[in-house]
Amino acid sequence: MNYTIIGEQIQKYRKTAGLTQKDLGEALGISSSAVSQWETGGTPDISLLPAIADRLGISINTLFGREDITPENMHETLPRYVASLPETKRLKEICRLVWAAAKSEGVGSNVLSDHVYQKYNISLSSEEGIVLGIDSDELSALSVFPEPKSGYHALFASDDAYRQLFLALSKPLAIELLKLLYQQTKPCTAEVLAARLETETGEILPLLSEFAGLQLVRELELETERGDTKVYSTERYGALIPFLHAARLMMESSNGHSVIVNKRKTPLLRKPETAL
């Protein structure tokens, strides 16, 4: 531990409080020279730390250079904390923090005890929005949807657009083709995609055309020595994963392993014309 940080913090917050070294020394019952020694590299007696922090209006954590999280600085402190972690741990920590926040929603009913929290599906509904997720040793995922002022209809496409999407996905090889496209690290020709699906190119060309029209995939035309050819890649990388997971949550029986907290008094899907 670098204890010189304590002296630096004392000096910083003493000046912020508008105190002289003499003022702080008198408040603590010590000499101003002792305060000066702290600020130039000395270390206060540990028994004085609570009194120093109280007089400066800060916490002991702050004396050690550890910033307290407050409502005012949370939006700055949390990103710095996450950024300080190894890249391989950041997403899991973000998920853990959001789970902790979601857990607080169920405190009143006492249903989200730690032993339940680690292995149950969860569905939280309130007037502010919804949280859906699953947490287990194999999988931890959360979807958080604050409700727009105009209601959830503001997040939706048109009903006809959904019908076109689901009709396209209901066709043979459609789901397999879409998953395959998400497995590629670079654009592929229809011939390559067909070979990997062990089917004929003519079987998937209509699907690729539909997907392009729905903006599920990107269709690019390339000029080669043998003439122009089309290649395909995913239009919105990653979107398929939450889509399929949400569909699974809708279809899959929880088998009793669910925590449902509903605090809403209004319908989840209000009519657009009655939205506030």
Side-chain angles (χ1 to χ4, degrees):
M1 170 68 71
N2 180 11
Y3 287 100
T4 60
I5 188 67
I6 298 178
E8 294 171 0
Q9 294 293 85
I10 290 174
Q11 184 181 64
K12 173 184 175 180
Y13 287 100
R14 173 181 62 76
K15 291 181 177 179
T16 299
L19 300 173
T20 65
Q21 291 179 340
K22 181 180 179 181
D23 293 335
L24 181 57
E26 288 178 349
L28 299 172
I30 60 172
S31 66
S32 59
S33 61
V35 177
S36 177
Q37 288 177 3
W38 299 341
E39 294 182 359
T40 54
T43 305
D45 187 282
I46 192 171
S47 63
L48 287 174
L49 293 182
I52 295 172
D54 288 346
R55 184 62 188 88
L56 297 179
I58 60 177
S59 69
I60 293 179
N61 269 348
T62 303
L63 278 179
F64 283 89
R66 296 181 175 180
E67 186 174 8
D68 289 331
I69 297 179
T70 66
E72 291 74 24
N73 69 16
M74 187 179 300
H75 292 291
E76 297 178 0
T77 304
L78 285 179
R80 285 201 300 269
Y81 163 63
V82 173
S84 71
L85 300 173
E87 286 191 25
T88 55
K89 296 183 178 181
R90 291 176 187 174
L91 282 180
K92 286 186 178 180
E93 183 63 6
I94 290 171
C95 196
R96 187 189 70 81
L97 291 171
V98 179
W99 265 116
K103 181 181 178 181
S104 68
E105 279 290 293
V107 169
S109 56
N110 207 25
V111 295
L112 293 178
S113 60
D114 288 338
H115 69 282
V116 170
Y117 183 70
Q118 290 300 318
K119 57 185 178 181
Y120 274 48
N121 296 331
I122 186 171
S123 174
L124 301 178
S125 301
S126 72
E127 298 299 333
E128 294 180 281
I130 57 176
V131 177
L132 298 173
I134 183 171
D135 198 16
S136 68
D137 293 338
E138 296 79 23
L139 174 66
S140 182
L142 274 172
S143 297
V144 182
F145 292 92
E147 185 171 8
K149 290 183 179 179
S150 57
Y152 280 115
H153 291 275
L155 302 179
F156 301 158
S158 68
D159 291 345
D160 283 341
Y162 286 123
R163 274 187 278 271
Q164 292 176 29
L165 170 64
F166 296 136
L167 179 61
L169 294 179
S170 70
K171 295 178 179 178
L173 294 178
I175 297 294
E176 293 85 348
L177 176 59
L178 203 53
K179 286 181 178 180
L180 179 60
L181 283 161
Y182 270 81
Q183 293 169 21
Q184 308 310 307
T185 57
K186 53 187 175 182
C188 293
T189 63
E191 290 76 13
V192 169
L193 294 168
R196 292 177 180 171
L197 288 174
E198 299 181 351
T199 189
E200 299 296 325
T201 303
E203 293 293 317
I204 66 169
L205 278 174
L207 284 172
L208 288 170
S209 180
E210 280 194 79
F211 287 173
L214 290 166
Q215 300 186 58
L216 300 180
V217 302
R218 179 178 299 165
E219 182 182 79
L220 300 174
E221 192 167 290
L222 299 181
E223 184 178 350
T224 69
E225 293 179 354
R226 293 180 293 177
D228 293 344
T229 187
K230 291 181 179 179
V231 296
Y232 302 88
S233 63
T234 51
E235 176 66 19
R236 292 177 175 84
Y237 188 75
L240 182 66
I241 295 172
F243 173 75
L244 292 180
H245 177 60
R248 173 186 172 184
L249 289 179
M250 290 183 68
M251 297 183 296
E252 191 175 74
S253 171
S254 64
N255 294 321
H257 299 292
S258 291
V259 173
I260 301 174
V261 179
N262 185 7
K263 298 181 179 180
R264 289 186 71 95
K265 296 180 180 179
T266 58
L268 194 60
L269 286 182
R270 295 173 283 150
K271 292 182 180 180
E273 62 270 20
T274 61
L276 297 178

